PDB file of all heavy atoms in Angstrom:
ATOM      1  N   ARG D 196       1.760 -70.175  72.906  1.00 98.00           N
ATOM      2  CA  ARG D 196       1.861 -69.609  71.568  1.00 98.00           C
ATOM      3  C   ARG D 196       2.235 -68.135  71.644  1.00 98.00           C
ATOM      4  O   ARG D 196       1.741 -67.407  72.505  1.00 98.00           O
ATOM      5  CB  ARG D 196       0.534 -69.771  70.816  1.00 98.00           C
ATOM      6  CG  ARG D 196       0.200 -71.218  70.458  1.00 98.00           C
ATOM      7  CD  ARG D 196      -1.235 -71.378  69.999  1.00 98.00           C
ATOM      8  NE  ARG D 196      -2.161 -71.290  71.132  1.00 98.00           N
ATOM      9  CZ  ARG D 196      -3.482 -71.365  71.023  1.00 98.00           C
ATOM     10  NH1 ARG D 196      -4.035 -71.516  69.823  1.00 98.00           N
ATOM     11  NH2 ARG D 196      -4.251 -71.286  72.083  1.00 98.00           N
ATOM     12  N   ALA D 371       7.692 -27.302  59.245  1.00 97.00           N
ATOM     13  CA  ALA D 371       6.421 -26.678  58.866  1.00 97.00           C
ATOM     14  C   ALA D 371       5.881 -27.184  57.542  1.00 97.00           C
ATOM     15  O   ALA D 371       4.665 -27.211  57.335  1.00 97.00           O
ATOM     16  CB  ALA D 371       6.598 -25.158  58.800  1.00 97.00           C
ATOM     17  N   GLY D 435       5.555 -54.507  79.182  1.00 92.00           N
ATOM     18  CA  GLY D 435       6.338 -53.765  78.206  1.00 92.00           C
ATOM     19  C   GLY D 435       5.700 -52.463  77.774  1.00 92.00           C
ATOM     20  O   GLY D 435       4.943 -51.836  78.523  1.00 92.00           O
ATOM     21  N   ARG D 528      23.351 -48.137  90.869  1.00 92.00           N
ATOM     22  CA  ARG D 528      22.174 -48.931  91.231  1.00 92.00           C
ATOM     23  C   ARG D 528      21.975 -48.957  92.744  1.00 92.00           C
ATOM     24  O   ARG D 528      20.853 -48.787  93.258  1.00 92.00           O
ATOM     25  CB  ARG D 528      22.321 -50.354  90.721  1.00 92.00           C
ATOM     26  CG  ARG D 528      22.241 -50.536  89.217  1.00 92.00           C
ATOM     27  CD  ARG D 528      22.322 -52.017  88.890  1.00 92.00           C
ATOM     28  NE  ARG D 528      22.499 -52.293  87.481  1.00 92.00           N
ATOM     29  CZ  ARG D 528      21.527 -52.347  86.594  1.00 92.00           C
ATOM     30  NH1 ARG D 528      20.277 -52.131  86.987  1.00 92.00           N
ATOM     31  NH2 ARG D 528      21.784 -52.608  85.323  1.00 92.00           N
TER      32      ARG D 528
END
Side-chain angles (χ1 to χ4, degrees):
R196 291 167 286 178
R528 290 183 191 276

